[in-house]
C-alpha cells in the first residue's frame, strides 16, 4: 500500500472519529414489569406503563366504558423497564459517549450494566449522562426503575407542616392533569415518554444555540448568534455560519461564543391574518482541521413582539404589539391532546394547529397543567403563524419552595427555554395557571384551617418560585427581546373589579357562576385569556366511549363517567332551558348542546371584539380534548369540529359586522383586524321574514368612512327596521361593502332567543356537484343546519337564508348526507 493511499485512509478515519453521531435506543427491544414480579413483558419506547399494560391485555382501555375506575391501582405500583443493546469496538473508539433521556416520567433510577448512574425527579427535564467508561463491547443492559409518583408525592407532602391543596400532585414535577381534571381522567402514569439516545462525539460539540434579533429594518436584520460549545480538547476551532467562518479558541469545558449575522432584505414572520409566516433555516457547524465535527440547524422567523401595558383613564392596557403594530389576539387554550402523550402523532399536532389557522386564529395558550409540548407543536405554530402564550407547568394549587424543589424548577426552566426560545411563535412566558387566584379566591386556607403563619408561608413560597426563580432563570437563558414574562394567569381573579380593567382575565361568571350568557356584554376585560362553556362532542366521539354498541342516553353510566364536572349536566340543562327547547331524544340533545355552547361563546367573542381597543384579546377555553369527553372543547378527541368551532371560525374573521341591541337601540360595529384599510365603507341592512319576504332595505350613507380598526356605523331604534310584533319571525341580514360595492363581510342578527323563534319547516334540497362537493338549498330560513356523516364538512351548523343555496366541500365522499335543523328539535 503506497503512502498516498495510507494517508487518505488515515484522514478518512480521523474524519469518521471526528463526527458527532447519534443512536436512538428507543428502537431497541424494550421490556417492562411490575417491580414486585419477575416476568418481563414487551414494552414500547417512547410510551407509558398504561399503554404497555393495555398492549399486553393486562388492563382494559380506560377511555372506554367505566374502565378508568379499574386501572387506578397502576399509579400505586413501581415499574421497571429494560433493554439490551450492542456496542461495537468502533463505537467505543469515540472519545465521549452520552446517554440522553429526553423524558422520564418521573421518579426513576437509571442503571447501566448493573451500575446506578443517576436518580431523576422531573418529567420535564432532559437527563444527560456520560457513559463512555460504563459501556462494554457487546451486550449492554440498560434498566430504569420507576417509583410511584403518588407514593413519593405523599411522602414529600408530609414534610410540610400544613395540608397543601391537590396534594400530592403539586409536590411532583410531572404533568398535573394526569391527576384528573374536570375534563380529563385520572391516569397517573409512568414510563419513558420521550426518546432515549446515545450521542457519540469527539473533541467538541455544540450544546446550544440561541439567536438574538438586535435590529430589524426593511433593509436588514442584525442578529447575534450565541453558541454554547463543550470542548473535550482545548485548541483552535472554526465556528461556521451559512455565510462565513469564525476562528475561535476553545478551552476545555463549556465555552460561550458570540458571532454577528446579517440578513439582507429580510422577510417578516407575520401572524396568521397579516401575511406569510416566513421561516429562515440557519445552519451552523463546528470544524476542526477543516473537518466538520458537529452541526445544528435553527429555524427562525424575523419578528418583534412586545407586551404593552400602559395606564389609561379606564385602568391599564394589555395587548401584544407584533412587528410594530397592535395585534388583536384571537385564539384558544390548548391542553395535551391525549392523556397518554407518546401517542400524539406529528400528524395530529399539524392538523390541530392547521385547524387553528383555518379558524382565523393568531394565538394559542399552552395551559400550565399539561406538558411543554413536542417540538412538532411549536414547528406547526411557526409555520402557521400562530403565536404561543407559553405557561410553565404549574396549575391551580400551592407549590413548595424547599431548596431541592427550587433547583429542580430552575433546571426545568433552563431545559425548556433552551429548547424552545428560537421558535418565532413563542410570544410570552407565563409563570403559572390560576395559582395567585387559588391563593386569594378559592378558600383553601379556611378549608384546611391554616394559621396566619401558614398563609404567610404560602405567599413566601409562591413568590420564591414565580417572582424569583423562574424570572431569574429566564434572564439567564433568554436573549433580552425574548424575555417577556407574566407571573400568573389570570393576574387578578374574577369577581374583583380590577380583573376587567387591567391584566388578563379568566372570567367564569358564565358556567361556574351560572350567570346568563348576556353577562358577557357587561364583563369585558382588557384581555380574556380564559372563559368557556361545555358542549357534547360529536356522536362519533360519544360512541367511541363504549366498547360495544351503545345505548345512547344521558342516563347511561358510561356517558355520565365521561362528564368529569360533577355539576356539568345540571349546568348545561339549566342554560339550555333558558335559550332552547330541551329535546328528549339523545341525538337532538347532543346537537342542541353544541348549539348552546356555540351561542354562548359567540356572545362572548362578539362582546370582546366590539370593545376593541379596550379589549385586545380573546382566548376561549378550550381547543381540544385528551380523551372522549363532554367538555369545554371546540374540537373533540377524534378531531371532529363541534358547532362551537364552526362558529369560532366565523366570529374570528378579520372583518366582521356585529350588532348590539341595547334598550331598543341597535348599534352596528364594523371591525377590521387586518393591516390594510377599507375606505368609504357602507352598510346595507335587509330586514327579512323567515320566508324571505323583505320588510325593509336600508343603506347607511357613505361619508368617507375608513375601516382600519373598529367603526360604529349607526344606532337606529329596532322599530326602524321591524315592528315589535315581527321580532320572532324576522331577522336582519347585514352586508358591509367597500366603495366599489364589493362585499367585505356579512352577518345575520336575530331578535329573540332560539326557543322563541317562530320557525317553519324548511324544504331542504341537497344536490351532488361532485364526489366531494354538495350544494344545499332551502325555501325558508333553515336555522343551524347540521350536516351529518363520517366526513369533515367545510361549513356546518350554519344558517341557510330563505331562497338561497350554499356549496359545501367534504373531506371524503359520502353516499348520502343527513340533515337536521333547529326546527326539528322544536317539533315532533
Amino acid at each position: 500500500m503506497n503512502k498516498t493511499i495510507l494517508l487518505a485512509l488515515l484522514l478518512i478515519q480521523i474524519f469518521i472519529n471526528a463526527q458527532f453521531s447519534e443512536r436512538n435506543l428507543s428502537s431497541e427491544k424494550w421490556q417492562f414489569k411490575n417491580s414486585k414480579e419477575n416476568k418481563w413483558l414487551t414494552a414500547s419506547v417512547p410510551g407509558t406503563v398504561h399503554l404497555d399494560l393495555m398492549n399486553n391485555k393486562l388492563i382494559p382501555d380506560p377511555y372506554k366504558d367505566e374502565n378508568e375506575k379499574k386501572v387506578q391501582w397502576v399509579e400505586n405500583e413501581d415499574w421497571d423497564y429494560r433493554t439490551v443493546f450492542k456496542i461495537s469496538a468502533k463505537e467505543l473508539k469515540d472519545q465521549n459517549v452520552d446517554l440522553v433521556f429526553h423524558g422520564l416520567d418521573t421518579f426513576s433510577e437509571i442503571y447501566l450494566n448493573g451500575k446506578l448512574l443517576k436518580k431523576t425527579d422531573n418529567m420535564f427535564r432532559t437527563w444527560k449522562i456520560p457513559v463512555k467508561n460504563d459501556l462494554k463491547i457487546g451486550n449492554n443492559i440498560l434498566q430504569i426503575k420507576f417509583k410511584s409518583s403518588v407514593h413519593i408525592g405523599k411522602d414529600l407532602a408530609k414534610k410540610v407542616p400544613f395540608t397543601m391543596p391537590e396534594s400530592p400532585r403539586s409536590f411532583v414535577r410531572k404533568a398535573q392533569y394526569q391527576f384528573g381534571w374536570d375534563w380529563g381522567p385520572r391516569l397517573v402514569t409512568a414510563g419513558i415518554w420521550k426518546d432515549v439516545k446515545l450521542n457519540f462525539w469527539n473533541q467538541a460539540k455544540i450544546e446550544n444555540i440561541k439567536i438574538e434579533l438586535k435590529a430589524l429594518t426593511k433593509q436588514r436584520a442584525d442578529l447575534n448568534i450565541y453558541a454554547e460549545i463543550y470542548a473535550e480538547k482545548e485548541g483552535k476551532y472554526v465556528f461556521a455560519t451559512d455565510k462565513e467562518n469564525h476562528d475561535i479558541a476553545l478551552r476545555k469545558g463549556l465555552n460561550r461564543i458570540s458571532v454577528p449575522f446579517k440578513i439582507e432584505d429580510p422577510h417578516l414572520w407575520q401572524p396568521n391574518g397579516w401575511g406569510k409566516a416566513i421561516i429562515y433555516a440557519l445552519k451552523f457547524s463546528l470544524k476542526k482541521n477543516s473537518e466538520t465535527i458537529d452541526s445544528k440547524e435553527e429555524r427562525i422567523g424575523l419578528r418583534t413582539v412586545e407586551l404593552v401595558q400602559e395606564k389609561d383613564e379606564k385602568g391599564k392596557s394589555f395587548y401584544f404589539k407584533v412587528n410594530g403594530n397592535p395585534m388583536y389576539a384571537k385564539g384558544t387554550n390548548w391542553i395535551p391532546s391525549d392523556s397518554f402523550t407518546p401517542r400524539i402523532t406529528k400528524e395530529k399536532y399539524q392538523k390541530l394547529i392547521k385547524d387553528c389557522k383555518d379558524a382565523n386564529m393568531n394565538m394559542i395558550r399552552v395551559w400550565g397543567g399539561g406538558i411543554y409540548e413536542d417540538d412538532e407543536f411549536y414547528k406547526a405554530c411557526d409555520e402557521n403563524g400562530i403565536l404561543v402564550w407559553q405557561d410553565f407547568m404549574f396549575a391551580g394549587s400551592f407549590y413548595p419552595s424547599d431548596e431541592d424543589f427550587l433547583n429542580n424548577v430552575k433546571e426545568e426552566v433552563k431545559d425548556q427555554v433552551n429548547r424552545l426560545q428560537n421558535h418565532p411563535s413563542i410570544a410570552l412566558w407565563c409563570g403559572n395557571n390560576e395559582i395567585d387566584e387559588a391563593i386569594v379566591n378559592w378558600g383553601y386556607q379556611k378549608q384546611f384551617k391554616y394559621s396566619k403563619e401558614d398563609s404567610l408561608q404560602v405567599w413566601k413560597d409562591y413568590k420564591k418560585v414565580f417572582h424569583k426563580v423562574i424570572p431569574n432563570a429566564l434572564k439567564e437563558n433568554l436573549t433580552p427581546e425574548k424575555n417577556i414574562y407574566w407571573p400568573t394567569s389570570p393576574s387578578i381573579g374574577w369577581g374583583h373589579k380590577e380583573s376587567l380593567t387591567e391584566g388578563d382575565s379568566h372570567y367564569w361568571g358564565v358556567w361556574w357562576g351560572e350567570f346568563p350568557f348576556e353577562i358577557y356584554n357587561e364583563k369585558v376585560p382588557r384581555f380574556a385569556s380564559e372563559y368557556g362553556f361545555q358542549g357534547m362532542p360529536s356522536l362519533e366521539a360519544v360512541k367511541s366511549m363504549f366498547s360495544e354498541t351503545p345505548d345512547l342516553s344521558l342516563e347511561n353510566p358510561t356517558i355520565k363517567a365521561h362528564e368529569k364536572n360533577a355539576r356539568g349536566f345540571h349546568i348545561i340543562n339549566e342554560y339550555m332551558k333558558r335559550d332552547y327547547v330541551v329535546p328528549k331524544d339523545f341525538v337532538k340533545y347532543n346537537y342542541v348542546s353544541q348549539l348552546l355552547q356555540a351561542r354562548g361563546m359567540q356572545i362572548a367573542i362578539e362582546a370582546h371584539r366590539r370593545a376593541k381597543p379596550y379589549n385586545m384579546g380573546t382566548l376561549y377555553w378550550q381547543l381540544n380534548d385528551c380523551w372522549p369527553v363532554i367538555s369545554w372543547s371546540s374540537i373533540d378527541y377524534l378531531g371532529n369540529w363541534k358547532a362551537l368551532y364552526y362558529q369560532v371560525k366565523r366570529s374570528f374573521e378579520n372583518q366582521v359586522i356585529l350588532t348590539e341591541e341595547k334598550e331598543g337601540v341597535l348599534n352596528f360595529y364594523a371591525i377590521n383586524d387586518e393591516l390594510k384599510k377599507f375606505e368609504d365603507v357602507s352598510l346595507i341592512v335587509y330586514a327579512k321574514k323567515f320566508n324571505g319576504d323583505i320588510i325593509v332595505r336600508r343603506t347607511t350613507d357613505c361619508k368617507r368612512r375608513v375601516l382600519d380598526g373598529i367603526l360604529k356605523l349607526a344606532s337606529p331604534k329596532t322599530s326602524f327596521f321591524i315592528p315589535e310584533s315581527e321580532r320572532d319571525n324576522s331577522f336582519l341580514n347585514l352586508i358591509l361593502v367597500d366603495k366599489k360595492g364589493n362585499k367585505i363581510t356579512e352577518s345575520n342578527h336575530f331578535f329573540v332567543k332560539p326557543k322563541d323563534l317562530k320557525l317553519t319547516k324548511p324544504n331542504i334540497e341537497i344536490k351532488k356537484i361532485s364526489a366531494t362537493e354538495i350544494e344545499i338549498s332551502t325555501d325558508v330560513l333553515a336555522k343551524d343546519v347540521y350536516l351529518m356523516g363520517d366526513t369533515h364538512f367545510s361549513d356546518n351548523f350554519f344558517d341557510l337564508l330563505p331562497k338561497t343555496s350554499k356549496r359545501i366541500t367534504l373531506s371524503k365522499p359520502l353516499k348520502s348526507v343527513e340533515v337536521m335543523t333547529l326546527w326539528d328539535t322544536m317539533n315532533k
Side-chain angles (χ1 to χ4, degrees):
M1 185 180 296
N2 63 41
K3 290 183 179 180
T4 303
I5 295 175
L6 186 62
L7 181 60
L9 290 174
L10 182 61
L11 287 172
I12 290 171
Q13 187 60 46
I14 291 172
F15 177 69
I16 290 172
N17 288 341
Q19 289 293 309
F20 177 96
S21 63
E22 188 175 74
R23 181 169 160 194
N24 194 345
L25 294 184
S26 305
S27 57
E28 301 288 339
K29 292 182 179 179
W30 285 84
Q31 296 176 307
F32 85 110
K33 69 178 182 69
N34 189 314
S35 62
K36 297 175 182 175
E37 300 172 358
N38 296 319
K39 185 179 179 181
W40 290 92
L41 303 165
T42 302
S44 295
V45 172
T48 73
V49 67
H50 286 82
L51 292 176
D52 291 328
L53 289 166
M54 275 192 282
N55 290 336
N56 284 275
K57 302 190 185 309
L58 294 175
I59 62 169
D61 185 343
Y63 290 7
K64 295 189 180 296
D65 307 320
E66 297 180 77
N67 292 339
E68 179 195 353
K69 301 173 186 176
K70 299 177 182 178
V71 303
Q72 293 306 303
W73 62 272
V74 176
E75 69 180 40
N76 295 309
E77 301 297 317
D78 299 337
W79 301 95
D80 299 345
Y81 279 76
R82 76 176 183 187
T83 189
V84 178
F85 61 94
K86 290 184 182 294
I87 288 290
S88 67
K90 178 183 172 184
E91 287 174 315
L92 273 186
K93 287 182 180 178
D94 285 290
Q95 294 172 355
N96 301 279
V97 186
D98 292 337
L99 177 61
V100 183
F101 293 90
H102 290 278
L104 293 172
D105 184 9
T106 291
F107 295 95
S108 78
E109 296 175 349
I110 302 167
Y111 294 85
L112 181 58
N113 295 324
K115 177 184 176 182
L116 175 62
L117 298 181
K118 196 170 195 65
K119 293 182 179 181
T120 77
D121 57 358
N122 192 321
M123 175 181 178
F124 304 123
R125 287 176 61 184
T126 298
W127 305 96
K128 187 181 298 182
I129 310 165
V131 292
K132 163 82 173 180
N133 297 326
D134 301 304
L135 293 169
K136 60 185 180 180
I137 296 172
N139 288 338
N140 291 260
I141 301 174
L142 178 61
Q143 187 167 349
I144 299 94
K145 293 176 172 286
F146 290 97
K147 301 293 183 181
S148 164
S149 293
V150 171
H151 288 173
I152 291 182
K154 288 178 179 178
D155 290 341
L156 292 170
K158 292 175 184 177
K159 297 179 181 180
V160 177
F162 49 88
T163 302
M164 296 274 265
E166 303 294 336
S167 180
R169 74 167 169 84
S170 58
F171 289 89
V172 296
R173 292 309 302 138
K174 73 188 270 98
Q176 303 285 273
Y177 81 115
Q178 290 184 2
F179 292 82
W181 226 266
D182 52 8
W183 38 257
R186 183 180 176 102
L187 294 167
V188 187
T189 192
I192 307 169
W193 74 291
K194 289 193 172 186
D195 278 329
V196 183
K197 294 183 177 180
L198 279 176
N199 292 340
F200 302 87
W201 60 281
N202 294 284
Q203 301 185 80
K205 61 176 177 176
I206 302 172
E207 290 277 18
N208 182 49
I209 287 178
K210 52 186 177 185
I211 300 170
E212 178 185 18
L213 179 61
K214 291 288 291 181
L216 179 61
T217 65
K218 291 182 179 179
Q219 292 76 33
R220 194 173 77 184
D222 291 316
L223 310 173
N224 271 347
I225 311 299
Y226 298 97
E228 293 182 352
I229 301 173
Y230 192 91
E232 180 68 22
K233 183 179 179 182
E234 68 177 21
K236 294 181 179 180
Y237 294 79
V238 172
F239 182 76
T241 67
D242 290 348
K243 297 185 176 181
E244 58 185 320
N245 293 336
H246 299 270
D247 294 324
I248 58 174
L250 300 180
R251 65 183 183 276
K252 184 170 181 172
L254 185 63
N255 299 260
R256 292 181 173 88
I257 68 165
S258 171
V259 299
F261 190 89
K262 292 178 173 56
I263 298 175
E264 305 291 342
D265 300 317
H267 298 284
L268 291 181
W269 183 95
Q270 292 281 22
N272 184 36
W274 279 10
K276 293 182 179 179
I278 302 295
I279 303 293
Y280 287 86
L282 306 184
K283 296 178 181 179
F284 308 96
S285 59
L286 184 64
K287 298 179 181 181
K288 179 71 171 175
N289 299 327
S290 299
E291 303 294 349
T292 299
I293 60 175
D294 198 5
S295 61
K296 279 188 180 294
E297 179 180 283
E298 295 291 338
R299 292 165 56 84
I300 68 165
L302 301 176
R303 92 294 183 273
T304 61
V305 175
E306 304 167 64
L307 176 60
V308 180
Q309 296 185 82
E310 297 174 339
K311 288 185 178 180
D312 55 31
E313 68 280 1
K314 295 180 180 178
K316 187 188 289 185
S317 67
F318 189 104
Y319 68 90
F320 292 91
K321 186 181 283 188
V322 182
N323 297 327
N325 296 299
M327 184 194 81
Y328 190 91
K330 295 176 291 192
T332 186
N333 285 256
W334 169 281
I335 66 168
S337 58
D338 206 299
S339 283
F340 303 127
T341 52
R343 65 180 180 190
I344 308 173
T345 63
K346 290 184 177 182
E347 291 76 18
K348 189 167 189 177
Y349 278 121
Q350 288 286 347
K351 180 191 178 297
L352 284 169
I353 299 304
K354 179 61 163 54
D355 285 345
C356 291
K357 180 180 182 179
D358 291 344
N360 304 301
M361 297 185 189
N362 56 25
M363 179 169 277
I364 192 167
R365 174 176 174 245
V366 178
W367 170 74
I371 61 172
Y372 305 97
E373 290 296 338
D374 186 82
D375 291 344
E376 193 69 23
F377 169 87
Y378 301 96
K379 179 175 179 286
C381 290
D382 293 344
E383 294 167 348
N384 287 284
I386 307 297
L387 288 164
V388 175
W389 171 311
Q390 177 67 56
D391 280 5
F392 287 101
M393 293 301 118
F394 303 85
S397 183
F398 301 169
Y399 288 83
S401 70
D402 57 90
E403 187 175 354
D404 287 343
F405 188 85
L406 295 180
N407 287 335
N408 205 353
V409 170
K410 180 180 178 181
E411 293 303 314
E412 171 187 323
V413 173
K414 178 182 176 181
D415 282 357
Q416 294 300 332
V417 164
N418 283 337
R419 178 172 72 97
L420 300 176
Q421 67 169 288
N422 291 328
H423 286 279
S425 54
I426 299 284
L428 177 80
W429 307 91
C430 181
N432 67 75
N433 171 76
E434 295 185 347
I435 297 179
D436 186 302
E437 170 155 337
I439 295 172
V440 174
N441 273 7
W442 293 359
Y444 284 133
Q445 294 88 334
K446 183 177 181 180
Q447 178 183 344
F448 295 117
K449 300 179 181 178
Y450 282 14
S451 66
K452 184 177 180 180
E453 291 74 21
D454 295 338
S455 297
L456 186 62
Q457 187 61 47
V458 167
W459 271 116
K460 286 181 179 178
D461 293 344
Y462 174 82
K463 289 180 180 179
K464 281 183 184 179
V465 176
F466 302 107
H467 288 268
K468 185 177 180 181
V469 171
I470 291 179
N472 286 349
L474 290 176
K475 188 176 181 180
E476 290 173 10
N477 292 284
L478 284 172
T479 56
E481 85 285 6
K482 296 191 180 90
N483 190 4
I484 303 175
Y485 178 64
W486 189 239
T488 186
S489 180
S491 50
I492 302 167
W494 75 272
H496 299 271
K497 64 179 182 179
E498 293 83 4
S499 69
L500 301 177
T501 61
E502 61 185 82
D504 73 310
S505 172
H506 295 190
Y507 180 71
W508 285 103
V510 170
W511 185 265
W512 290 111
E514 295 190 45
F515 294 120
F517 289 144
E518 289 73 21
I519 197 73
Y520 281 129
N521 294 317
E522 301 172 25
K523 305 294 185 179
V524 177
R526 307 307 292 258
F527 193 102
S529 52
E530 232 191 72
Y531 59 94
F533 194 86
Q534 283 196 358
M536 299 284 286
S538 66
L539 290 171
E540 290 81 7
V542 173
K543 292 173 184 176
S544 77
M545 300 173 183
F546 296 83
S547 56
E548 298 178 353
T549 303
D551 168 28
L552 295 181
S553 162
L554 291 176
E555 299 304 313
N556 189 299
T558 290
I559 293 178
K560 285 186 174 182
H562 286 74
E563 164 60 273
K564 301 301 290 185
N565 186 279
R567 300 181 61 248
F569 283 121
H570 166 78
I571 295 173
I572 292 171
N573 285 335
E574 288 302 306
Y575 276 86
M576 194 179 291
K577 284 189 288 186
R578 296 174 190 174
D579 288 3
Y580 290 88
V581 174
V582 181
K584 295 180 179 178
D585 173 77
F586 182 86
V587 173
K588 291 179 180 178
Y589 183 93
N590 179 284
Y591 160 61
V592 172
S593 85
Q594 290 197 40
L595 296 181
L596 178 70
Q597 181 189 30
R599 173 176 165 79
M601 295 303 92
Q602 179 184 5
I603 291 171
I605 292 169
E606 292 186 357
H608 297 158
R609 295 194 72 183
R610 288 198 309 267
K612 180 182 179 179
Y614 177 84
N615 171 279
M616 283 297 287
T618 181
L619 311 179
Y620 69 90
W621 183 269
Q622 66 208 63
L623 177 71
N624 54 329
D625 282 325
C626 65
W627 73 318
V629 64
I630 300 154
S631 79
W632 292 266
S633 75
S634 52
I635 299 177
D636 68 31
Y637 177 70
L638 299 184
N640 297 305
W641 289 20
K642 294 160 70 168
L644 168 56
Y645 207 69
Y646 286 100
Q647 181 55 53
V648 162
K649 181 180 180 181
R650 293 187 281 267
S651 293
F652 279 171
E653 289 279 0
N654 261 351
Q655 291 83 37
V656 291
I657 178 74
L658 304 177
T659 307
E660 177 189 39
E661 189 175 355
K662 201 171 185 179
E663 298 177 352
V665 173
L666 289 172
N667 298 313
F668 300 122
Y669 298 83
I671 298 164
N672 174 29
D673 289 337
E674 273 188 83
L675 298 177
K676 71 176 182 179
K677 299 178 181 180
F678 295 86
E679 294 187 355
D680 297 344
V681 299
S682 56
L683 178 66
I684 303 170
V685 183
Y686 291 94
K688 295 183 179 181
K689 290 190 174 182
F690 292 166
N691 64 4
D693 291 349
I694 296 175
I695 302 172
V696 68
R697 179 188 186 277
R698 306 279 187 185
T699 304
T700 60
D701 58 351
C702 190
K703 295 181 179 178
R704 302 293 298 171
R705 297 183 186 274
V706 179
L707 180 59
D708 59 355
I710 182 166
L711 183 63
K712 192 173 179 180
L713 287 162
S715 297
K717 291 185 177 180
T718 306
S719 57
F720 182 70
F721 296 103
I722 63 164
E724 182 73 23
S725 60
E726 303 285 348
R727 288 172 60 89
D728 55 6
N729 64 15
S730 304
F731 67 100
L732 298 184
N733 177 224
L734 314 172
I735 304 173
L736 189 70
V737 298
D738 63 17
K739 59 184 176 182
K740 294 182 179 180
N742 298 316
K743 184 173 75 173
I744 299 172
T745 186
E746 179 179 6
S747 69
N748 304 312
H749 175 75
F750 293 88
F751 296 98
V752 299
K753 292 185 174 184
K755 69 177 181 181
D756 297 321
L757 295 172
K758 289 187 176 178
L759 300 172
T760 54
K761 183 178 181 178
N763 293 310
I764 293 176
E765 293 185 5
I766 295 179
K767 180 182 176 183
K768 186 176 181 180
I769 305 299
S770 70
T772 56
E773 186 176 17
I774 59 173
E775 185 175 77
I776 181 169
S777 59
T778 182
D779 57 342
V780 298
L781 173 71
K783 190 84 176 74
D784 300 314
V785 175
Y786 175 30
L787 303 174
M788 292 178 279
D790 183 21
T791 190
H792 176 76
F793 297 98
S794 59
D795 199 5
N796 210 344
F797 301 95
F798 54 83
D799 294 337
L800 190 60
L801 302 190
K803 300 179 179 63
T804 65
S805 63
K806 184 182 182 73
R807 289 202 174 189
I808 303 290
T809 57
L810 288 62
S811 60
K812 61 182 180 182
L814 286 180
K815 288 184 178 179
S816 63
V817 176
E818 293 184 59
V819 183
M820 185 182 294
T821 70
L822 187 62
W823 182 90
D824 295 303
T825 70
M826 302 169 75
N827 298 271
K828 293 183 179 179

